[in-house]
Amino acid sequence: DARVTQTPRHKVTEMGQEVTMRCQPILGHNTVFWYRQTMMQGLELLAYFRNRAPLDDSGMPKDRFSAEMPDATLATLKIQPSEPRDSAVYFCASGTTGTEAFFGQGTRLTVV
Amino acid sequence: GDSVTQMEGPVTLSEEAFLTINCTYTATGYPSLFWYVQYPGEGLQLLLKATKADDKGSNKGFEATYRKETTSFHLEKGSVQVSDSAVYFCALIPYYNTDKLIFGTGTRLQVFP
């Protein structure tokens, strides 16, 4: 059963530390999305890729967030330095162009 | 730009009641339309979809019809169960940018026995 895998599932870190979240998209999918979910803002699109190339990262705070796809089986989202307001659930999703996206279970990040 | 508007929640129902969650969209041309469901502590799962006008998507007793004339894609279920309690998201893929998936704000459904 193909699925999007995200690690870690939970992360607690101190303010100022670097955080790296990883995502393994479904094999054969050519688009990858990063979303952030909070109670206040709901579901926000941070960035997305097609064929490993970033298409749009306008939803990300550029000074501290970065998203990459070093290869077709790995997408990463980094926050450096982390801040308490970054506490949220971060979702990765993958799909093929023009069709629905499949979501991972999310990484719950708490910055204290 | 293209957008999705959902009714405010929470929607609170008794078991076996009829459910409607409203979704309207603003889009150029003919987007593809989706409903996703998020159960507590989990990621979003695709519930159903429709890719052209007048299509009806259905799954697990849920239905939604793509209405171009009213730009709507309302979610319905004839008889809800406690296990349907979740957050429901309406979403679209624009016809002009098929890499982008745009979500509404989500509607929480609470079903009581």
Side-chain angles (χ1 to χ4, degrees), chain A residues 3-57:
Chain A
R3 61 182 64 189
V4 175
T5 303
Q6 289 186 248
T7 56
R9 290 292 312 278
H10 303 272
K11 176 73 175 179
V12 180
T13 191
E14 292 185 346
M15 182 174 62
Q17 296 298 304
E18 177 178 299
V19 175
T20 299
M21 289 169 272
R22 293 177 173 80
C23 168
Q24 181 177 3
I26 293 173
L27 189 65
H29 283 183
N30 68 336
T31 55
V32 173
F33 304 85
W34 282 106
Y35 289 89
R36 177 171 64 184
Q37 187 176 38
T38 61
M39 289 294 292
M40 294 300 295
Q41 300 296 327
L43 198 62
E44 302 173 274
L45 177 63
L46 297 176
Y48 65 99
F49 296 76
R50 188 210 301 161
N51 296 327
R52 295 177 54 203
L55 289 189
D56 186 349
D57 61 1

Side-chain angles (χ1 to χ4, degrees), chain B residues 13 21 25 29 31 36 38 41 46 67 69 71 75 77 89 96 99 102 112:
Chain B
L13 295 172
I21 299 178
Y25 66 89
Y36 280 79
Q38 184 180 29
L46 179 68
R67 301 283 188 202
E69 62 276 12
T71 62
L75 182 67
K77 187 176 185 183
F89 291 88
Y96 60 84
D99 290 309
I102 299 170
F112 293 95

Side-chain angles (χ1 to χ4, degrees), chain A residues 81-93:
Chain A
S82 57
E83 297 180 2
R85 59 181 168 148
D86 301 329
S87 297
V89 181
Y90 291 81
F91 287 105
C92 175

Side-chain angles (χ1 to χ4, degrees), chain B residues 21-97:
Chain B
I21 299 178
N22 290 338
C23 170
T24 57
Y25 66 89
T26 301
T28 304
Y30 290 82
S32 296
L33 301 173
F34 306 85
W35 276 102
Y36 280 79
V37 58
Q38 184 180 29
Y39 298 104
E42 298 186 11
L44 281 70
Q45 304 172 26
L46 179 68
L47 182 58
L48 54 83
K49 66 181 180 181
T51 57
K52 59 183 187 293
D54 300 324
D55 268 3
K56 178 185 283 188
S58 61
N59 186 25
K60 299 180 181 179
F62 291 90
E63 293 183 340
T65 301
Y66 189 142
R67 301 283 188 202
K68 180 63 175 174
E69 62 276 12
T70 54
T71 62
S72 65
F73 193 54
H74 304 321
L75 182 67
E76 297 181 335
K77 187 176 185 183
S79 176
V80 293
Q81 305 300 311
V82 173
S83 57
D84 294 327
S85 297
V87 180
Y88 292 81
F89 291 88
C90 188
L92 68 82
I93 293 178
Y95 90 96
Y96 60 84
N97 182 354

